[in-house]
Amino acid sequence: MQKLIESFIMTANAFDVEGTLSLFAADAVIDDVSVGDAFVGRDGVRHYLERFFVGYSTNSKLLSIEELDEFHSDVRLDFTGDFGHEIGILKIAVNPDGLIERIDADLE
């Protein structure tokens, strides 16, 4: 899980949308309470990455990972970008293939 999360951060920080998308299952969901919307499937995840990572020049720094089991982790990130500075929590679930199937995101 640590390696997957580090890959997510590295590719998202590089604004490598295709590389980041490769870490997600085809039917993945990002449900982000802070923006009030859910993004479903690869098209939804692509839109989320382009809008909130690329669009806001977001840079993420890993603060902590709490592995709940082999498929679930709570990740705390420091976000900076054109919006300022925020601390975010990502509840990440992966499928048996090691791909991200769901992220529940919120800000502290």
Side-chain angles (χ1 to χ4, degrees):
M1 185 70 85
Q2 171 110 17
K3 197 170 196 175
L4 176 66
I5 292 164
E6 288 172 351
S7 292
F8 172 79
I9 293 168
M10 183 180 67
T11 56
N13 283 349
F15 308 122
D16 179 357
V17 173
E18 293 304 318
T20 309
L21 275 175
S22 74
L23 304 173
F24 284 82
D27 60 349
V29 175
I30 298 177
D31 189 355
D32 192 332
V33 174
S34 67
V35 300
D37 206 352
F39 302 84
V40 180
R42 290 210 184 230
D43 288 341
V45 172
R46 177 188 307 280
H47 176 74
Y48 183 84
L49 294 169
E50 289 173 346
R51 182 171 177 196
F52 297 107
F53 282 80
V54 177
Y56 287 100
S57 299
T58 299
N59 185 276
S60 306
K61 179 181 171 194
L62 180 63
L63 296 175
S64 66
I65 298 173
E66 180 184 356
E67 291 191 28
L68 306 174
D69 60 36
E70 67 179 302
F71 298 109
H72 300 89
S73 289
D74 289 347
V75 178
R76 196 163 172 259
L77 295 171
D78 184 279
F79 294 114
T80 55
D82 294 343
F83 54 85
H85 176 252
E86 298 286 348
I87 302 293
I89 304 295
L90 304 180
K91 295 181 179 293
I92 298 177
V94 299
N95 66 20
D97 295 326
L99 297 173
I100 299 168
E101 65 181 6
R102 183 172 184 92
I103 294 178
D104 291 292
D106 202 356
L107 300 175
E108 283 189 342

